[in-house]
Amino acid sequence: MNLINFINAFFSDSAHWTGYDGIPTRVGEHIQYTLQALVLAAAIGLPVGLVTGHTGRGGNALSLIATAGRALPTFGLLVLMTLMLGFGLVNVMIPLVVLAVPPILVTTYEAMRSVDPSPVDAARGMGMSEAQVLFQVELPAALPLILSGLRSAAIQIVSTATIAAYVSLGGLGRYIVDGLYQRNYEKVVGGATLVAGLALVTLALFWAVYRTAVSRGVRGSG
């Protein structure tokens, strides 16, 4: 069977659309893992990136942290967390968050540093507080690049959340892991196709957020 036949056989099988192992259930689990990891990574990366970018301090430290985070093998970290914490969602979230923080952190910092200093200086000259300068002047201008960092992190999480299946959790990785074990390549290809499709949906959602949240003036100047 070729790739197209595998995909067609997987999605045309009614057994794959119902029950605890059905596509809707597995997609829902995968989305849950992705959202949880992305929210945690954003809660860490965005505030640090915004503050350090606003002050202009800590750029070298952020680069070192980001490099270290990117160098850590996600699957190796999953194995280590499983040995330390046992089976569970926490030991999946840690590698996913470690994977997602660097692009959010570095991109947010760079976005803040790339803001034109003229309106920032003008805002300070008008007596605006540092918090007002940050949220009312710098953040709107930096938003396109910040969203690109979040998008990159989200895509990486969607693609990597399949590791949850290796510690007996769900998600789309369940099809890949179980399919390999059973030598059911129809299931493997189907699971991989779903992951790719979810990544494309994620790209579309971020495009919609970009069009909605970023003002025309900023989009036109980007």
Side-chain angles (χ1 to χ4, degrees), residues 9 15 22-23 27 75 107 124 135 169 176 180 184-185 212:
I23 292 172
V27 169
F75 189 75
T107 307
R124 289 195 175 107
F135 291 106
L169 294 177
I176 299 172
L180 289 172
N184 184 342
Y185 300 112
T212 303

Side-chain angles (χ1 to χ4, degrees), residues 201-221:
V201 170
T202 303
L203 284 174
L205 287 174
F206 271 93
W207 178 85
V209 170
Y210 174 86
R211 300 292 296 182
T212 303
V214 179
S215 66
R216 287 187 179 181
V218 175
R219 291 203 307 263
S221 62

Side-chain angles (χ1 to χ4, degrees), residues 62-73 98 102:
L62 290 186
S63 297
L64 289 174
I65 293 171
T67 302
R70 287 168 176 159
L72 288 173
V98 169

Side-chain angles (χ1 to χ4, degrees), residues 64-183:
L64 289 174
I65 293 171
T67 302
R70 287 168 176 159
L72 288 173
T74 303
F75 189 75
L77 189 55
L78 173 69
V79 173
L80 179 62
M81 292 298 102
T82 301
L83 292 174
M84 293 174 59
L85 304 174
F87 291 88
L89 184 59
V90 172
N91 57 344
V92 174
M93 285 296 110
I94 291 174
L96 293 179
V97 171
V98 169
L99 175 73
V101 165
I104 297 175
L105 188 61
V106 172
T107 307
T108 301
Y109 173 82
E110 292 176 349
M112 296 296 289
R113 298 309 300 161
S114 67
V115 174
D116 186 351
S118 298
V120 175
D121 293 339
R124 289 195 175 107
M126 293 170 59
M128 295 179 70
S129 66
E130 289 302 309
Q132 289 175 318
V133 171
L134 172 60
F135 291 106
Q136 297 181 25
V137 179
E138 292 177 314
L139 182 57
L143 190 55
L145 195 53
I146 292 173
L147 286 175
S148 73
L150 289 169
R151 180 187 62 209
S152 176
I155 295 299
Q156 291 183 47
I157 295 172
V158 167
S159 303
T160 312
T162 53
I163 63 173
Y166 287 96
V167 289
S168 301
L169 294 177
L172 297 175
R174 193 80 267 158
Y175 293 129
I176 299 172
V177 172
D178 292 347
L180 289 172
Y181 178 76
Q182 300 163 0
R183 295 189 178 181

